[in-house]
Amino acid sequence: QIRLTSINRYGNFNWDVYHNDAVMERATSFFLDGTGAPVVAGVRLWQGFNYVWVMKHSGYGQFLWETIDTQAGCVAFNVVANLTGDFWVAASCIEDQRFPVRLLHYGYAGNLLWAQNYSEGGRNYVRNLNVDFMNRVNLTLEVDNGSGNRYARTLVFDRYGSRLAAY
């Protein structure tokens, strides 16, 4: 069961809602879009596998929608939105013996626009996610190559999901 509570800047209670649809879900990140509507991302356990799970409520607490990604083995760790309500979710995944990250771009109504996976070998952990005014996405990873060496990697994607840079 997921609980969302809205409290205004003066500490007064606005609304309180519960989300319970009889499956195991865990919220790991949230973001307020340009209208003040909360987008919540996390994981849904379904038939023994983890899936990226996302839901959205209005700024007044009304449930709008939820969506589940189709790739098994992933958990969302960051979500960001732009002023028009589009949003991006970054997830860490387990896929066979690989540990890629997954970046998903959704429209304001929860429709998947594109998805990209990225791996440098070893384990790839999502550490930060940002979107700029041109809808370029910066995804920061921590990469553990399995030999005790860890380093940061930043990926930049354009609004259409094409990778512009990795540094």
Side-chain angles (χ1 to χ4, degrees):
Q1 185 171 1
I2 307 289
R3 178 180 179 181
L4 292 176
T5 303
S6 173
I7 299 172
N8 68 23
R9 65 182 174 174
Y10 304 109
N12 298 321
F13 176 83
N14 290 328
W15 50 262
D16 193 37
V17 296
Y18 291 87
H19 176 78
N20 187 3
D21 51 11
V23 293
M24 176 70 84
E25 294 167 337
R26 184 179 70 227
T28 55
S29 185
F30 81 96
F31 195 88
L32 297 177
D33 74 7
T35 67
V39 177
V40 179
V43 61
R44 174 182 276 185
L45 180 62
W46 180 254
Q47 298 181 343
F49 295 98
N50 289 331
Y51 293 88
V52 169
W53 163 80
V54 184
M55 76 171 173
K56 186 174 183 177
H57 283 70
S58 73
Y60 303 103
Q62 176 188 13
F63 176 79
L64 298 176
W65 51 259
E66 72 180 317
T67 187
I68 313 301
D69 186 31
T70 58
Q71 182 170 323
C74 299
V75 176
F77 284 101
N78 285 80
V79 60
V80 296
N82 65 11
L83 292 175
T84 63
D86 281 8
F87 61 96
W88 292 260
V89 176
S92 293
C93 305
I94 299 173
E95 182 180 278
D96 297 321
Q97 297 298 313
R98 297 176 349 108
F99 300 89
V101 293
R102 184 160 173 82
L103 180 61
L104 303 136
H105 178 198
Y106 290 92
Y108 70 93
N111 52 313
L112 180 64
L113 300 175
W114 53 260
Q116 294 288 351
N117 289 357
Y118 182 85
S119 179
E120 288 216 0
R123 294 181 183 263
N124 299 268
Y125 302 100
V126 172
R127 293 300 183 222
N128 196 26
L129 180 64
N130 289 296
V131 62
D132 69 15
F133 70 98
M134 293 181 62
N135 293 325
R136 289 179 300 222
V137 181
N138 292 283
L139 174 60
T140 303
L141 315 176
E142 178 183 349
V143 180
D144 180 347
N145 67 7
S147 301
N149 296 320
R150 292 178 179 246
Y151 56 93
R153 172 76 68 217
T154 297
L155 307 173
V156 181
F157 293 88
D158 69 13
R159 67 183 322 137
Y160 306 107
S162 296
R163 192 173 78 216
L164 301 174
Y167 54 91

